[in-house]
Amino acid sequence: MIKVAMTGVYVDDVARAHAFYTDVLGFETRTRMDLGNGTLFVTVGAPQGAQPDLQLLLEPGQGPIAESYRRALYQAGIPCIVFSVDDLPAEHRRLAGLGVRFPHGPRRQGPVLAAVLDDTCGNLVQLVQPDA
């Protein structure tokens, strides 16, 4: 059986992204290594071991391919990744209270309630609450 072990998100500042994804979004640090020359290798994951075998790599987004990709997605309003939540209205209130900017708040999109936030590191992120 093949499973997703790790996926990446290009960010413009790994240290700032690490703080946002842990302190604001609530992920836990799985790996944080200083590779030298100001390069960090950082992975985060769902808290309390909810998905212990799945990690999100916060990848340096410098370079012509990554920068063009991130910029194009952002300018088109396309989220780079989707996270699920149990109670989107409550999560939206919590994050907005922490100063997170939402280009669009919770609204129905087919079978899910969805919102899009700015991760402060060059990306849009979608939060979804599937129908019960």
Side-chain angles (χ1 to χ4, degrees):
M1 167 178 34
I2 297 175
K3 300 186 317 182
V4 176
M6 184 183 298
T7 190
V9 170
Y10 290 115
V11 296
D12 58 17
D13 183 310
V14 173
R16 191 172 76 234
H18 184 216
F20 182 82
Y21 279 74
T22 56
D23 297 343
V24 177
L25 295 184
F27 286 95
E28 65 183 19
T29 302
R30 299 281 176 81
T31 306
R32 186 179 194 284
M33 295 186 319
D34 186 339
L35 302 177
N37 299 323
T39 303
L40 293 174
F41 181 86
V42 176
T43 67
V44 297
Q48 295 100 22
Q51 293 176 304
D53 60 344
L54 181 58
Q55 298 181 70
L56 177 64
L57 173 61
L58 302 175
E59 294 201 65
Q62 292 72 29
I65 294 172
E67 286 178 13
S68 297
Y69 173 74
R70 276 189 314 111
R71 190 176 315 112
L73 285 178
Y74 194 93
Q75 289 173 351
I78 299 171
C80 69
I81 196 162
V82 179
F83 299 131
S84 66
V85 298
D86 294 329
D87 185 342
L88 183 56
E91 195 63 27
H92 176 260
R93 283 190 301 276
R94 181 185 79 80
L95 293 171
L98 292 172
V100 174
R101 187 178 76 78
F102 282 83
H104 87 67
R107 64 181 177 208
R108 177 75 36 207
Q109 289 184 321
V112 300
L113 188 60
V116 174
L117 63 87
D118 184 318
D119 78 352
T120 73
C121 302
N123 300 296
L124 298 175
V125 173
Q126 187 170 46
L127 301 178
V128 297
Q129 175 188 331
D131 285 340

